[in-house]
Amino acid sequence: MFFHRQELQHQAKPDRPDAVYARKLQEILGGQYGEITIAMQYGFQAWNAHIPGKYRDLLYGIGAEEFGHVEMLATMIAQLLEKSPVGITEDAVQNDPVVAAIVGGTDVQHAIVAGAGARPVDSNGNPWSGAYVTASGNLLADFTANATGEMQGRLQAARLFHMTDDAGVRSLLSFLIARDTMHQNQWLAAVAELRDEGVEELPVPSNFPQSKENQDVNYTYINFSDGEAAAEGSWASGPAPDGKGEFSYQAEPSPGVPMPPPTHPDSRFYGTTELPNLVEKAAGAVQDGLKKE
Amino acid sequence: MFFHRQELQHQAKPDRPDAVYARKLQEILGGQYGEITIAMQYGFQAWNAHIPGKYRDLLYGIGAEEFGHVEMLATMIAQLLEKSPVGITEDAVQNDPVVAAIVGGTDVQHAIVAGAGARPVDSNGNPWSGAYVTASGNLLADFTANATGEMQGRLQAARLFHMTDDAGVRSLLSFLIARDTMHQNQWLAAVAELRDEGVEELPVPSNFPQSKENQDVNYTYINFSDGEAAAEGSWASGPAPDGKGEFSYQAEPSPGVPMPPPTHPDSRFYGTTELPNLVEKAAGAVQDGLKKE
Amino acid sequence: MFFHRQELQHQAKPDRPDAVYARKLQEILGGQYGEITIAMQYGFQAWNAHIPGKYRDLLYGIGAEEFGHVEMLATMIAQLLEKSPVGITEDAVQNDPVVAAIVGGTDVQHAIVAGAGARPVDSNGNPWSGAYVTASGNLLADFTANATGEMQGRLQAARLFHMTDDAGVRSLLSFLIARDTMHQNQWLAAVAELRDEGVEELPVPSNFPQSKENQDVNYTYINFSDGEAAAEGSWASGPAPDGKGEFSYQAEPSPGVPMPPPTHPDSRFYGTTELPNLVEKAAGAVQDGLKKE
Amino acid sequence: MFFHRQELQHQAKPDRPDAVYARKLQEILGGQYGEITIAMQYGFQAWNAHIPGKYRDLLYGIGAEEFGHVEMLATMIAQLLEKSPVGITEDAVQNDPVVAAIVGGTDVQHAIVAGAGARPVDSNGNPWSGAYVTASGNLLADFTANATGEMQGRLQAARLFHMTDDAGVRSLLSFLIARDTMHQNQWLAAVAELRDEGVEELPVPSNFPQSKENQDVNYTYINFSDGEAAAEGSWASGPAPDGKGEFSYQAEPSPGVPMPPPTHPDSRFYGTTELPNLVEKAAGAVQDGLKKE
Amino acid sequence: MFFHRQELQHQAKPDRPDAVYARKLQEILGGQYGEITIAMQYGFQAWNAHIPGKYRDLLYGIGAEEFGHVEMLATMIAQLLEKSPVGITEDAVQNDPVVAAIVGGTDVQHAIVAGAGARPVDSNGNPWSGAYVTASGNLLADFTANATGEMQGRLQAARLFHMTDDAGVRSLLSFLIARDTMHQNQWLAAVAELRDEGVEELPVPSNFPQSKENQDVNYTYINFSDGEAAAEGSWASGPAPDGKGEFSYQAEPSPGVPMPPPTHPDSRFYGTTELPNLVEKAAGAVQDGLKKE
Amino acid sequence: MFFHRQELQHQAKPDRPDAVYARKLQEILGGQYGEITIAMQYGFQAWNAHIPGKYRDLLYGIGAEEFGHVEMLATMIAQLLEKSPVGITEDAVQNDPVVAAIVGGTDVQHAIVAGAGARPVDSNGNPWSGAYVTASGNLLADFTANATGEMQGRLQAARLFHMTDDAGVRSLLSFLIARDTMHQNQWLAAVAELRDEGVEELPVPSNFPQSKENQDVNYTYINFSDGEAAAEGSWASGPAPDGKGEFSYQAEPSPGVPMPPPTHPDSRFYGTTELPNLVEKAAGAVQDGLKKE
């Protein structure tokens, strides 16, 4: 169960409206790595979890916080849009180049669709998609995905920090960036703890028997381009991070196998087939293929 | 530049057709973490890279391999579909429960749209989307995303391994799973190397000055649910993985701040506003707001 | 701010697993009118609201409840999937026609992607989309949209009720259907109250001056098909529900106006234009159009 | 069957081109509540209708009108784009701030993809989606959805009215807004008529036996937030609009039930499970789980 | 303007319900090349046309027919769904393997969302998308796209013909296939006529001055794979179809040019850059980059 | 297998950055007819091909080239973005109208998401979609689709040519346009060759027996609009391009057939049905319909 309190975790109040910036801020609300993604992802991971205890409590514990971040950003965006002009292109533009830029730089659906309100979309107006969420049931894979989400999220928030000098907006971003610092660290700590406790190991999934994977290529870097510098990396020699293999480097792929012959589906799919087949088709299709109907 | 050779890196030939399995295999071809995602992601990361050398060579070096994996899976799927029935529901079903299941379990677009061919979609028929790709320009964030991709990918391939007993399919999966083992390890090694070399640090992005983030909450676990077990985790006390802070635990959120007052956009957006405003609207809107036109 | 408690508003526990039904239940979790839509819609309407007080409190008051419904359904789906077979088509099918049906009728991403977990998608596997949300800032329009959402939602839940005889599932549906009854009534009451209080009137938006709309056609039913029975409806004569006009019926459209002449964009868009223009193109394009570059 | 006449129901001719406004106007052509949605929605409701007579004639009667509205808007947009500049950013901008704004504010696909033509997309360039259509077969639910569509549509058209002073555009909008007035009223009248005639009742669906819904919570407002003003609304006490229940108010949710225990799917899904299970996994998985293959 | 008559161009009445087939038939209603695409495509091409006369009349003349095809298919699908079972998986399945297959093979949204009605989606339930439409303003390009649409459409209808033995369904398909025959021929005739009249030429767009395209590679087949049979094709030697060049064959690509050096965006984007840059970053970022704020 | 070489087929280096143009160029990278579509389409057609030899070699031969075009465009876009401003709206705008336009005209996700890098999206930021790909297995249909793709692609590139005067960008476009010239010609030559060799004929699919299509309407132009000029076209009389029929012209549609009666699905779908049915519902539903549960 979720409960709501009409308070915000941190002040979300801009010094002045800025409709262009409101559009940009949509990215960390409704984008691929926006707060809706993060909140939903922690929710689905918790609801699909197979073990009670600290890992699931962790997911619940910050999932609700993230829904509050959604709310802070939506509230901020609505205020940034508060004075957004309704106006007419030429009028506006002839008076003021700032307005000219605004005319072009805003999300026009903010005005037409939401009446100066926030929307569940990214900074280009793409609707948020459930396809952004990762929740596989494997905690090592999912917590790494969570670390990824917090990294991309903090990166975007840091870029957005430089795109405004509004102290109110920056104060909120400063808060969100700090939380992303915490959450990056937290997921990396949890990943390490899963491994330390032996709950999960690398490679994911750790209890798929490695004997069943192809033993010739599971620790070999194979180079398919003509740059050679990758040979210098720690991924080209020495022990692998999973502690189960030794990296090697192969400068180019081994010879491959010939492609299998082309397929010959039922003639009633009307795919294009070779001439011998064509002759047969011309002759036999009527009886052979089509009388089946 | 890319070059093509009419060979496959590994045999991709099923022992027998299986149209239901063909549908399932679409997941690791055209799904969120399928090979198209992986190939495109490495490509865009390479094209957007800001440094030459081993990291970019790494991206190029395996990017082309991944396009070859796309090809192996597409070829395999076409063969699995080779004998897929065109047939009529009742006929098929009354004779054979296997066919009955097939009727229900296939991707019908395999037959109707592709004429028994592979498609750039996932196992539910959702078209592959460019929104699956992550390429931010920050290598620490992106390589972590790559590790995530290889983890989810290997997990899905392992599940698919158990959904068939076709030796030809399993041989290909065994190969792909092995490559995922390599690539998981490789990205984790590269992540470590970026940090060891001081190219990037945690938290991402590492050169956003931490002085600008809110210092009160950047290493604090704040619990928004009523489970208490998360307090036991390594993310609740002790040094954080970035080496820059000390975790603390807060059993519930601090009191928040009141929400800012509701916004009052231009009346020509026709949002619902409070009564005093309504009076003014009734009286003045005609002159006040609308004569602006 | 949102808070979470590790409890459910109502029991969400099936008597037995049923992977096919789990897929169907996804509709009211992640479909167009599923609980994610409802929860997000009330959230965005609240965050974009322009007046404090009872209407906004109403949105907050049930918005958090709806996030709890998301949780109940996700939890239920995970349990329905608990024993979902990993298995191989032919094996399964030859033994048991129920399994045969399951093979075809499940959401295969439940297994491959989520490892037997719920996902933010509808019953055909389409990811939930932010485009489902309506939040315009006009409460009369939005509360009517909310009533619509609760009607479609209750309708779907009622259909789903008949698709199972699992007492545990039915108990949850019975609870959700009851809440939909409440919420349908509630929004219709709120719509009436907005009108009674004079906060909003019909037609939406009520303070757009009707003098600016075309007075010839604003209360006329115009028939564009050849069925005549619509003339019998209350929308064809008598007073309109907004109390501002009298319906009339027009048996067929008035003669229209001729279409405007085709457009002639810049020749550098390479649209196909008429012959006189072609001559000019042949002659003059090089100088006329292209030297502009 | 549909027939076409090369006439428009109303003049659709702008006084002058305005490529920025052309983009905005796309919203009511190809957006969530644009004319394509409305036309398709009435079409599908008619084709899926279960009764002949006035309600279906109503759907047919205005469905064709709405396809004509699609045409009027597309024609208008093409003309607004007629003189849209092909040009080069810097050139254009240095001469004229209006052009500067246009460069930013247009839909660039209007130029690149359509050669100065209209497109089936919204004002942010999102393609129109079949997911916008509602057609459930239940006329009370669907006509309420139709009223919603006409409300949101009129609201957007009214906003767009204020974003231009072009008399030709305003004349068309004035016509469309008037038709929306008619259609809002019409659907509300039809909703009332369905109820008056006893064809349908509230709550939707009316013949799902209310005895099967949970009787404890079907007329109770339950408050999940900390605002108390919703207790003052007509939805918190008194008779419900469906005439079948009496509203009551509950200041906070009743205690919930404990969450069900986490699920334990087949180990071959490789979800993370608890330690006892892990031990078993370590020991038995090879025999227990994997020999099943 | 569009007008509707409550008749169908051809009988659309199945001999018996078939919910599985109803799902398949959705492909040619709401798929990439379904009738909605075709109808909308001809509409947008007409509305964006730059010349009056026979070509535009052609678009209008069959556009309205295609909306009628949408209607015939929707009506057919609703009837195919008429007896679709509501039922419960196990019950249904244990009695009847046909029902078992149906349980798996239907579009479950047909039942849950549409109450046994047609929907604007394809055979996998993907909503129809405006992105399927092609309308560029260049008639040679667009009429070729139309021929493509009619080819893919007829191909899918032919495949669907073999997936049923219902005489009523086959009668409708036989009609639609015949119209596709006409429309394929018609667009190819119109393409030829555009060229014969000199309205448009190849290559599209014909009045982009070929002097501005790279003269070294505009008629050369360059082979990027290792198959050599393409050298035998008519595209490898002899005159090109546009009558303006002579094909030649190049067995492998010419040496390329080196890639440009990696980019160095503003440091406030936090991309990963090389070490010298890193040093500068460490030292100077605070002053250099960040004081800009 | 694919191999990569760190070279470009042609120089891809702009003379100067231009973030607005970078956005526009995304269209031919990640749009409906962009290079990703083309590369993937040739790939899937090859992988699904049913005959070895020249046609399949053709697909492989240029498929890899097209992946190289993806790379050239991505590289170009990254460079065009190199100096894209991070900046703050008002500051930027007050100094420089060019910057004002840039603020509005850029793809803001280029900055926020990709850190000044290319993305797999179109010029409006819509993610590339697998739904753009056509690969049916019928080569005549697919090669016509390929010709369509190259026509639309060249058209867009030609428009983009006029939207910049940057010599480096134009040099790349000049190269790509030349390749499109080749590829248009090539597919049209291949289409002719398929027909000359008798591998495929018109109409597609050529071996669906025409006796099974409705013989009354397969070569008749039927006019559904009121323009009469289409009667003058070569599609209205004379031999059809497939050599199998003679065109005729019908000035208006023949009378249609009455619509089938409305459907009556199971009452548990809660669709609205007519009154007699209602009475029965009132009376019998409880026993009749609902006791089924």
Side-chain angles (χ1 to χ4, degrees), chain A residues 39-49 133-135, chain C residues 26 29 36 70 74 117-121:
Chain A
M40 284 289 190
Q41 184 156 307
Y42 299 165
F44 275 90
Q45 288 179 13
W47 302 321
N48 291 340
V133 167
T134 296
Chain C
Q26 284 282 161
L29 171 55
I36 298 179
V70 170
R119 304 186 67 236
V121 304

PDB file of all heavy atoms in Angstrom, chain A residues 39-49 133-135, chain C residues 26 29 36 70 74 117-121:
ATOM      1  N   ALA A  39      11.179   4.619 -10.510  1.00  0.00           N
ATOM      2  CA  ALA A  39      10.158   4.241  -9.524  1.00  0.00           C
ATOM      3  C   ALA A  39       9.479   2.928  -9.926  1.00  0.00           C
ATOM      4  O   ALA A  39       9.305   2.019  -9.106  1.00  0.00           O
ATOM      5  CB  ALA A  39       9.132   5.363  -9.386  1.00  0.00           C
ATOM      6  N   MET A  40       9.095   2.839 -11.180  1.00  0.00           N
ATOM      7  CA  MET A  40       8.420   1.632 -11.655  1.00  0.00           C
ATOM      8  C   MET A  40       9.354   0.420 -11.594  1.00  0.00           C
ATOM      9  O   MET A  40       8.941  -0.693 -11.277  1.00  0.00           O
ATOM     10  CB  MET A  40       7.957   1.815 -13.103  1.00  0.00           C
ATOM     11  CG  MET A  40       6.736   2.683 -13.233  1.00  0.00           C
ATOM     12  SD  MET A  40       5.271   1.817 -12.594  1.00  0.00           S
ATOM     13  CE  MET A  40       4.010   2.956 -13.160  1.00  0.00           C
ATOM     14  N   GLN A  41      10.602   0.634 -11.944  1.00  0.00           N
ATOM     15  CA  GLN A  41      11.559  -0.469 -11.961  1.00  0.00           C
ATOM     16  C   GLN A  41      11.742  -1.056 -10.568  1.00  0.00           C
ATOM     17  O   GLN A  41      11.735  -2.284 -10.385  1.00  0.00           O
ATOM     18  CB  GLN A  41      12.888   0.032 -12.533  1.00  0.00           C
ATOM     19  CG  GLN A  41      13.935  -1.040 -12.694  1.00  0.00           C
ATOM     20  CD  GLN A  41      14.959  -0.671 -13.768  1.00  0.00           C
ATOM     21  OE1 GLN A  41      14.593  -0.355 -14.882  1.00  0.00           O
ATOM     22  NE2 GLN A  41      16.227  -0.706 -13.418  1.00  0.00           N
ATOM     23  N   TYR A  42      11.897  -0.190  -9.565  1.00  0.00           N
ATOM     24  CA  TYR A  42      12.071  -0.712  -8.210  1.00  0.00           C
ATOM     25  C   TYR A  42      10.782  -1.394  -7.752  1.00  0.00           C
ATOM     26  O   TYR A  42      10.812  -2.423  -7.076  1.00  0.00           O
ATOM     27  CB  TYR A  42      12.490   0.404  -7.253  1.00  0.00           C
ATOM     28  CG  TYR A  42      13.804   1.053  -7.639  1.00  0.00           C
ATOM     29  CD1 TYR A  42      14.212   2.261  -7.095  1.00  0.00           C
ATOM     30  CD2 TYR A  42      14.661   0.466  -8.583  1.00  0.00           C
ATOM     31  CE1 TYR A  42      15.415   2.858  -7.457  1.00  0.00           C
ATOM     32  CE2 TYR A  42      15.861   1.067  -8.950  1.00  0.00           C
ATOM     33  CZ  TYR A  42      16.228   2.252  -8.391  1.00  0.00           C
ATOM     34  OH  TYR A  42      17.410   2.854  -8.759  1.00  0.00           O
ATOM     35  N   GLY A  43       9.643  -0.813  -8.135  1.00  0.00           N
ATOM     36  CA  GLY A  43       8.372  -1.455  -7.804  1.00  0.00           C
ATOM     37  C   GLY A  43       8.272  -2.856  -8.387  1.00  0.00           C
ATOM     38  O   GLY A  43       8.035  -3.832  -7.660  1.00  0.00           O
ATOM     39  N   PHE A  44       8.460  -2.985  -9.677  1.00  0.00           N
ATOM     40  CA  PHE A  44       8.307  -4.310 -10.292  1.00  0.00           C
ATOM     41  C   PHE A  44       9.348  -5.300  -9.776  1.00  0.00           C
ATOM     42  O   PHE A  44       9.064  -6.487  -9.631  1.00  0.00           O
ATOM     43  CB  PHE A  44       8.312  -4.217 -11.824  1.00  0.00           C
ATOM     44  CG  PHE A  44       6.951  -3.895 -12.379  1.00  0.00           C
ATOM     45  CD1 PHE A  44       6.541  -2.591 -12.584  1.00  0.00           C
ATOM     46  CD2 PHE A  44       6.037  -4.917 -12.645  1.00  0.00           C
ATOM     47  CE1 PHE A  44       5.267  -2.297 -13.063  1.00  0.00           C
ATOM     48  CE2 PHE A  44       4.767  -4.639 -13.127  1.00  0.00           C
ATOM     49  CZ  PHE A  44       4.370  -3.324 -13.332  1.00  0.00           C
ATOM     50  N   GLN A  45      10.551  -4.840  -9.509  1.00  0.00           N
ATOM     51  CA  GLN A  45      11.547  -5.766  -8.948  1.00  0.00           C
ATOM     52  C   GLN A  45      11.100  -6.272  -7.574  1.00  0.00           C
ATOM     53  O   GLN A  45      11.282  -7.445  -7.239  1.00  0.00           O
ATOM     54  CB  GLN A  45      12.921  -5.090  -8.868  1.00  0.00           C
ATOM     55  CG  GLN A  45      13.571  -4.918 -10.248  1.00  0.00           C
ATOM     56  CD  GLN A  45      14.928  -4.217 -10.190  1.00  0.00           C
ATOM     57  OE1 GLN A  45      15.511  -4.070  -9.107  1.00  0.00           O
ATOM     58  NE2 GLN A  45      15.417  -3.799 -11.340  1.00  0.00           N
ATOM     59  N   ALA A  46      10.532  -5.379  -6.795  1.00  0.00           N
ATOM     60  CA  ALA A  46      10.065  -5.794  -5.464  1.00  0.00           C
ATOM     61  C   ALA A  46       8.894  -6.770  -5.581  1.00  0.00           C
ATOM     62  O   ALA A  46       8.852  -7.804  -4.906  1.00  0.00           O
ATOM     63  CB  ALA A  46       9.653  -4.570  -4.640  1.00  0.00           C
ATOM     64  N   TRP A  47       7.927  -6.440  -6.447  1.00  0.00           N
ATOM     65  CA  TRP A  47       6.739  -7.288  -6.548  1.00  0.00           C
ATOM     66  C   TRP A  47       7.082  -8.665  -7.121  1.00  0.00           C
ATOM     67  O   TRP A  47       6.415  -9.642  -6.832  1.00  0.00           O
ATOM     68  CB  TRP A  47       5.659  -6.585  -7.392  1.00  0.00           C
ATOM     69  CG  TRP A  47       5.266  -5.252  -6.818  1.00  0.00           C
ATOM     70  CD1 TRP A  47       5.125  -4.963  -5.489  1.00  0.00           C
ATOM     71  CD2 TRP A  47       5.006  -4.035  -7.510  1.00  0.00           C
ATOM     72  NE1 TRP A  47       4.792  -3.638  -5.320  1.00  0.00           N
ATOM     73  CE2 TRP A  47       4.698  -3.048  -6.543  1.00  0.00           C
ATOM     74  CE3 TRP A  47       4.980  -3.652  -8.862  1.00  0.00           C
ATOM     75  CZ2 TRP A  47       4.392  -1.724  -6.894  1.00  0.00           C
ATOM     76  CZ3 TRP A  47       4.660  -2.340  -9.206  1.00  0.00           C
ATOM     77  CH2 TRP A  47       4.378  -1.398  -8.225  1.00  0.00           C
ATOM     78  N   ASN A  48       8.118  -8.732  -7.933  1.00  0.00           N
ATOM     79  CA  ASN A  48       8.542 -10.006  -8.515  1.00  0.00           C
ATOM     80  C   ASN A  48       9.618 -10.714  -7.701  1.00  0.00           C
ATOM     81  O   ASN A  48      10.091 -11.780  -8.104  1.00  0.00           O
ATOM     82  CB  ASN A  48       9.095  -9.782  -9.938  1.00  0.00           C
ATOM     83  CG  ASN A  48       8.019  -9.385 -10.930  1.00  0.00           C
ATOM     84  OD1 ASN A  48       6.842  -9.615 -10.703  1.00  0.00           O
ATOM     85  ND2 ASN A  48       8.433  -8.799 -12.043  1.00  0.00           N
ATOM     86  N   ALA A  49      10.031 -10.144  -6.581  1.00  0.00           N
ATOM     87  CA  ALA A  49      11.151 -10.705  -5.830  1.00  0.00           C
ATOM     88  C   ALA A  49      10.808 -12.091  -5.286  1.00  0.00           C
ATOM     89  O   ALA A  49       9.647 -12.370  -4.945  1.00  0.00           O
ATOM     90  CB  ALA A  49      11.536  -9.784  -4.670  1.00  0.00           C
ATOM     91  N   VAL A 133      11.500  -0.434 -18.419  1.00  0.00           N
ATOM     92  CA  VAL A 133      11.657  -1.086 -17.120  1.00  0.00           C
ATOM     93  C   VAL A 133      12.383  -2.430 -17.258  1.00  0.00           C
ATOM     94  O   VAL A 133      12.097  -3.205 -18.159  1.00  0.00           O
ATOM     95  CB  VAL A 133      10.274  -1.320 -16.491  1.00  0.00           C
ATOM     96  CG1 VAL A 133      10.346  -2.257 -15.297  1.00  0.00           C
ATOM     97  CG2 VAL A 133       9.657   0.015 -16.087  1.00  0.00           C
ATOM     98  N   THR A 134      13.300  -2.684 -16.348  1.00  0.00           N
ATOM     99  CA  THR A 134      14.000  -3.963 -16.279  1.00  0.00           C
ATOM    100  C   THR A 134      13.693  -4.627 -14.941  1.00  0.00           C
ATOM    101  O   THR A 134      13.938  -4.026 -13.887  1.00  0.00           O
ATOM    102  CB  THR A 134      15.517  -3.750 -16.425  1.00  0.00           C
ATOM    103  OG1 THR A 134      15.778  -3.220 -17.726  1.00  0.00           O
ATOM    104  CG2 THR A 134      16.289  -5.059 -16.271  1.00  0.00           C
ATOM    105  N   ALA A 135      13.142  -5.820 -14.996  1.00  0.00           N
ATOM    106  CA  ALA A 135      12.846  -6.553 -13.756  1.00  0.00           C
ATOM    107  C   ALA A 135      12.816  -8.033 -14.106  1.00  0.00           C
ATOM    108  O   ALA A 135      11.777  -8.576 -14.471  1.00  0.00           O
ATOM    109  CB  ALA A 135      11.512  -6.111 -13.162  1.00  0.00           C
TER     110      ALA A 135
ATOM    111  N   GLN C  26      -2.899  -8.948 -17.062  1.00  0.00           N
ATOM    112  CA  GLN C  26      -2.028  -7.814 -17.389  1.00  0.00           C
ATOM    113  C   GLN C  26      -2.832  -6.631 -17.941  1.00  0.00           C
ATOM    114  O   GLN C  26      -2.411  -5.481 -17.816  1.00  0.00           O
ATOM    115  CB  GLN C  26      -0.972  -8.243 -18.425  1.00  0.00           C
ATOM    116  CG  GLN C  26       0.158  -9.084 -17.877  1.00  0.00           C
ATOM    117  CD  GLN C  26       1.224  -8.318 -17.123  1.00  0.00           C
ATOM    118  OE1 GLN C  26       2.008  -8.877 -16.347  1.00  0.00           O
ATOM    119  NE2 GLN C  26       1.266  -7.000 -17.313  1.00  0.00           N
ATOM    120  N   LEU C  29      -3.673  -4.229 -15.378  1.00  0.00           N
ATOM    121  CA  LEU C  29      -2.475  -3.680 -14.752  1.00  0.00           C
ATOM    122  C   LEU C  29      -1.844  -2.642 -15.689  1.00  0.00           C
ATOM    123  O   LEU C  29      -1.698  -1.479 -15.321  1.00  0.00           O
ATOM    124  CB  LEU C  29      -1.469  -4.806 -14.458  1.00  0.00           C
ATOM    125  CG  LEU C  29      -0.066  -4.378 -14.000  1.00  0.00           C
ATOM    126  CD1 LEU C  29      -0.127  -3.478 -12.785  1.00  0.00           C
ATOM    127  CD2 LEU C  29       0.806  -5.591 -13.711  1.00  0.00           C
ATOM    128  N   ILE C  36      -2.099   1.273 -13.853  1.00  0.00           N
ATOM    129  CA  ILE C  36      -0.993   2.236 -14.006  1.00  0.00           C
ATOM    130  C   ILE C  36      -1.526   3.526 -14.623  1.00  0.00           C
ATOM    131  O   ILE C  36      -1.192   4.634 -14.172  1.00  0.00           O
ATOM    132  CB  ILE C  36       0.151   1.653 -14.870  1.00  0.00           C
ATOM    133  CG1 ILE C  36       0.763   0.416 -14.201  1.00  0.00           C
ATOM    134  CG2 ILE C  36       1.239   2.694 -15.096  1.00  0.00           C
ATOM    135  CD1 ILE C  36       1.886  -0.255 -15.002  1.00  0.00           C
ATOM    136  N   VAL C  70      -2.029  -1.169  -8.368  1.00  0.00           N
ATOM    137  CA  VAL C  70      -0.957  -1.663  -9.243  1.00  0.00           C
ATOM    138  C   VAL C  70      -0.201  -2.782  -8.521  1.00  0.00           C
ATOM    139  O   VAL C  70       0.056  -3.852  -9.080  1.00  0.00           O
ATOM    140  CB  VAL C  70       0.007  -0.504  -9.620  1.00  0.00           C
ATOM    141  CG1 VAL C  70       1.257  -1.033 -10.318  1.00  0.00           C
ATOM    142  CG2 VAL C  70      -0.705   0.534 -10.488  1.00  0.00           C
ATOM    143  N   ALA C  74       0.185  -6.744  -9.572  1.00  0.00           N
ATOM    144  CA  ALA C  74       1.509  -7.284  -9.886  1.00  0.00           C
ATOM    145  C   ALA C  74       1.807  -8.488  -9.000  1.00  0.00           C
ATOM    146  O   ALA C  74       2.315  -9.523  -9.465  1.00  0.00           O
ATOM    147  CB  ALA C  74       2.572  -6.203  -9.703  1.00  0.00           C
ATOM    148  N   GLY C 117       7.494 -13.262 -13.677  1.00  0.00           N
ATOM    149  CA  GLY C 117       7.107 -12.066 -12.927  1.00  0.00           C
ATOM    150  C   GLY C 117       6.185 -11.180 -13.751  1.00  0.00           C
ATOM    151  O   GLY C 117       6.063 -11.349 -14.967  1.00  0.00           O
ATOM    152  N   ALA C 118       5.533 -10.231 -13.064  1.00  0.00           N
ATOM    153  CA  ALA C 118       4.632  -9.283 -13.724  1.00  0.00           C
ATOM    154  C   ALA C 118       5.424  -8.241 -14.506  1.00  0.00           C
ATOM    155  O   ALA C 118       6.603  -8.010 -14.240  1.00  0.00           O
ATOM    156  CB  ALA C 118       3.761  -8.598 -12.676  1.00  0.00           C
ATOM    157  N   ARG C 119       4.778  -7.642 -15.480  1.00  0.00           N
ATOM    158  CA  ARG C 119       5.450  -6.633 -16.317  1.00  0.00           C
ATOM    159  C   ARG C 119       4.513  -5.441 -16.576  1.00  0.00           C
ATOM    160  O   ARG C 119       3.304  -5.602 -16.552  1.00  0.00           O
ATOM    161  CB  ARG C 119       5.872  -7.244 -17.656  1.00  0.00           C
ATOM    162  CG  ARG C 119       6.756  -8.471 -17.493  1.00  0.00           C
ATOM    163  CD  ARG C 119       7.287  -8.968 -18.824  1.00  0.00           C
ATOM    164  NE  ARG C 119       8.194  -8.002 -19.392  1.00  0.00           N
ATOM    165  CZ  ARG C 119       8.078  -7.430 -20.610  1.00  0.00           C
ATOM    166  NH1 ARG C 119       7.086  -7.745 -21.383  1.00  0.00           N
ATOM    167  NH2 ARG C 119       8.950  -6.557 -21.032  1.00  0.00           N
ATOM    168  N   PRO C 120       5.085  -4.262 -16.852  1.00  0.00           N
ATOM    169  CA  PRO C 120       4.249  -3.077 -17.109  1.00  0.00           C
ATOM    170  C   PRO C 120       3.755  -3.043 -18.560  1.00  0.00           C
ATOM    171  O   PRO C 120       4.096  -2.142 -19.315  1.00  0.00           O
ATOM    172  CB  PRO C 120       5.197  -1.910 -16.799  1.00  0.00           C
ATOM    173  CG  PRO C 120       6.567  -2.457 -17.037  1.00  0.00           C
ATOM    174  CD  PRO C 120       6.518  -3.937 -16.777  1.00  0.00           C
ATOM    175  N   VAL C 121       2.971  -4.051 -18.921  1.00  0.00           N
ATOM    176  CA  VAL C 121       2.481  -4.207 -20.296  1.00  0.00           C
ATOM    177  C   VAL C 121       1.012  -4.627 -20.242  1.00  0.00           C
ATOM    178  O   VAL C 121       0.505  -4.999 -19.187  1.00  0.00           O
ATOM    179  CB  VAL C 121       3.291  -5.289 -21.054  1.00  0.00           C
ATOM    180  CG1 VAL C 121       4.776  -4.965 -21.044  1.00  0.00           C
ATOM    181  CG2 VAL C 121       3.056  -6.678 -20.468  1.00  0.00           C
TER     182      VAL C 121
END
